[in-house]
Amino acid sequence: MSLVPPDVAADADQLRALRDRIDAQQRQRRLDQQEVEGIARASGMPEAEDDA
């Protein structure tokens, strides 16, 4: 969930662009996390437990 200013919430194009940007950032974070975990495994580090 994200809070947006009323002017953005009222504009479907701006809202879609914001959602797309947030989705892209989350996708990149997921890919980065997978890469870091792969490096850690290859280095023999113990796997981290999820906080979620």
Side-chain angles (χ1 to χ4, degrees):
M1 178 168 50
S2 297
L3 297 176
V4 297
D7 58 317
V8 173
D11 184 330
D13 291 334
Q14 281 188 356
L15 195 56
R16 187 177 304 108
L18 178 61
R19 185 189 64 217
D20 291 346
R21 188 169 57 246
I22 291 170
D23 288 347
Q25 289 171 343
Q26 288 178 334
R27 190 170 28 259
Q28 187 61 51
R29 282 190 195 114
R30 221 175 8 259
L31 292 171
D32 291 347
Q33 184 64 33
Q34 289 172 350
E35 184 71 18
V36 168
E37 289 171 358
I39 291 169
R41 276 192 305 276
S43 300
M45 293 179 65
E47 290 189 35
E49 293 183 21
D50 287 339
D51 291 337

